[in-house]
Amino acid sequence: GVATRLTDEPGFNGSPNWSPDGTRIAYLWSDNSPEILKIKSLAGDSATTLLDSDPLFKNLQGWSPDGRSIVYSRLDPATQWDLWVLPLDGDRKPRPFLRTRFNENNAGVSPDGRWISYVSDESGQTEVYVQSFPVPGGKYQVTTGGGGNGGWSWDGKQLIYVLSSDPLHGYEADVQSGSEFRLGP
């Protein structure tokens, strides 16, 4: 019941995101320069600094369900917003997940780690899409009249999104089990 300060460094701290096991928080830090990713364990005082040599602006999207990687978007002058994956073990070398001439953003990995939902403007307007994860493929378009991503239900059995024509209401569709991604009505 006692509030405890998590960060005390000068600058902007934002986009906090809990690890799946609840033991760490990832967040972006900036001092009027492109963001740096930091991960802080609730058991310790210091934060691990990542992506500090990347000069481009970033948005934190979230963790993979196993807690072994972080998905983020990165603003590239040539390709706009792209989705990237940062492994948290091994060489910790970020890799592009979706790097196209369109904007990809607002991503979330399904609780089973098999799918990623995101928003792209490749059709000329923002739409919700799903692809396989951790390797992209088998793209599935969820909305057709414009939409935004709300994410996954806690058990991964529903995909939640909004429609541009009705932005005040959330919609959900059942994710049907199987090797291919399919949504119910």
Side-chain angles (χ1 to χ4, degrees):
V2 176
T4 303
R5 187 178 181 135
L6 180 69
T7 63
D8 61 1
E9 58 204 326
F12 171 77
N13 296 293
S15 303
N17 206 298
W18 287 99
S19 64
D21 65 3
T23 63
R24 298 170 289 168
I25 294 179
Y27 61 96
L28 294 174
W29 175 83
S30 174
D31 61 351
N32 295 323
S33 61
E35 298 84 4
I36 293 172
L37 176 67
K38 295 196 174 199
I39 299 175
K40 186 161 186 171
S41 169
L42 299 183
D45 289 332
S46 63
T48 302
T49 301
L50 301 160
L51 304 176
D52 52 343
S53 62
D54 183 348
L56 298 178
F57 287 97
K58 293 165 272 308
N59 281 324
L60 183 59
Q61 304 293 306
W63 298 74
S64 61
D66 62 7
R68 296 178 62 197
S69 60
I70 288 182
V71 176
Y72 67 100
S73 54
R74 183 175 180 263
L75 183 58
D76 187 301
T79 59
Q80 302 182 62
W81 285 105
D82 300 310
L83 294 178
W84 285 69
V85 175
L86 174 66
L88 297 177
D89 45 9
D91 66 2
R92 293 185 174 181
K93 183 178 179 183
R95 65 173 171 79
F97 179 79
L98 286 176
R99 191 174 190 195
T100 71
R101 61 188 175 105
F102 306 107
N103 286 300
E104 295 94 16
N105 216 332
N106 298 333
V109 179
S110 63
D112 65 5
R114 294 179 54 209
W115 311 105
I116 187 168
S117 61
Y118 62 96
V119 173
S120 173
D121 61 2
E122 69 181 77
S123 72
Q125 61 186 353
T126 58
E127 302 286 4
V128 178
Y129 295 86
V130 171
Q131 285 201 39
S132 61
F133 186 84
V135 178
K139 181 170 53 177
Y140 180 89
Q141 186 172 341
V142 175
T143 59
T144 58
N149 193 11
W152 301 88
S153 63
W154 67 271
D155 59 4
K157 293 183 178 182
Q158 288 87 27
L159 181 66
I160 303 161
Y161 54 93
V162 296
L163 300 176
S164 296
S165 61
D166 188 11
L168 298 179
H169 294 94
Y171 291 84
E172 69 179 25
D174 290 335
V175 176
Q176 299 176 355
S177 60
S179 60
E180 299 289 322
F181 182 80
R182 294 185 330 223
L183 280 180

